[in-house]
Amino acid sequence: MKIAPSFLSCDFSKFGEELVRMDKAGADYIHLDVMDGHFVPNITFGAPVIKWGRQYTKVPFDVHLMIEEPHRYIEDFAKAGADIVTIHLECKSDIAETLKQIKALGMKAGLSIKPKTAAEEVFPYLDLADWILIMTVEPGFGGQSFMADMLPKVGIIKEYALSHGKEIVIEADGGINAETIEMCREAGIDVAVSGTGVFKAEDAAAAIEQLKNG
Ligand code: DX5
Ligand code: ZN
């Protein structure tokens, strides 16, 4: 299990130091939640902040775009140093075109689904996406409760991908902590995002280690 601390819960007055802290604590990815106040009822930050953060660590940046028209900003995120860019299936951009745009800029393309979106809806895009992000809370805020009823989506997508000879990474995001991680492991999740689970822990390295290996 790989762990991606969500910086939504970091101390942004020390963004650089927080990046170094998570790098040293063993983060496999740095999960960066971009929100526009339209796609979700919350606003966070955009490409300039990510660009400033890039100098502090070499850990891959996993950028989760909770924005209505991601196609307008893909180039900005590429220039800012994103490694993986994930868009939402429910956004207003052309999904196939935007995934192609992400890959053409040399990044990994991710596709995310909100809790109400069925797993099967990603099937048409499995040729273009490298990474599927299953939301285990309604996107918008950290610190919400894990929705265990989202877990069957993992098997549905993995099985379909396998039977079509496609390799896919499955990431889950929302409410993942020491209590809920075992369910994620059993379900076959490859990458777990954890915001409050890591940032509110006294010892981030111990929290990451526990999430990784149990
Ligand atoms: C929610 C974000 C998550 C969030 C997770 O919309 O996509 O990445 O920060 O936070 P926790 O782990 O606290 O649920
Ligand atoms: Zn996220």
Side-chain angles (χ1 to χ4, degrees), residues 94-201:
D94 183 303
I95 300 300
E97 284 309 315
T98 310
L99 292 172
K100 281 185 207 160
Q101 200 190 343
I102 295 169
K103 289 169 79 85
L105 287 161
M107 301 179 289
K108 287 218 159 81
L111 184 60
S112 182
I113 49 172
K114 297 208 275 184
K116 288 191 187 78
T117 304
E120 290 78 4
E121 294 202 32
V122 308
F123 291 175
Y125 304 105
L126 287 179
D127 275 337
L128 296 169
D130 303 292
W131 179 289
I132 300 292
L133 171 51
I134 297 172
M135 290 307 300
T136 43
V137 296
E138 281 299 335
F141 300 92
Q144 304 182 76
S145 300
F146 184 75
M147 298 166 77
D149 50 338
M150 295 300 120
L151 291 173
K153 290 182 180 179
V154 182
I156 295 171
I157 296 168
K158 281 217 157 168
E159 249 170 59
Y160 182 91
L162 203 69
S163 66
H164 289 76
K166 289 167 195 150
E167 260 188 55
I168 197 91
V169 173
I170 307 264
E171 181 180 44
D173 182 6
I176 301 177
N177 52 37
E179 280 86 63
T180 54
I181 191 72
E182 290 314 322
M183 284 186 262
C184 297
R185 227 186 295 284
E186 275 163 33
I189 286 162
D190 303 297
V191 182
V193 175
S194 181
T196 43
V198 169
F199 280 95
K200 301 285 175 271

Side-chain angles (χ1 to χ4, degrees), residues 31 33 64 66 173 193:
H31 186 83
D33 290 299
H64 179 192
M66 286 161 275
D173 182 6
V193 175

Side-chain angles (χ1 to χ4, degrees), residues 2-3 9 11 30-31 39 42 46 49 54 62 66-67 71 73 108 112 130 146 152 156 170 180 182 186 206:
K2 305 270 191 220
I3 305 301
S9 299
D11 177 347
I30 301 292
H31 186 83
F39 184 77
N42 196 7
V49 169
R54 191 65 280 187
D62 159 26
M66 286 161 275
I67 64 179
H71 71 278
Y73 307 97
K108 287 218 159 81
S112 182
D130 303 292
F146 184 75
I156 295 171
I170 307 264
T180 54
E182 290 314 322
E186 275 163 33

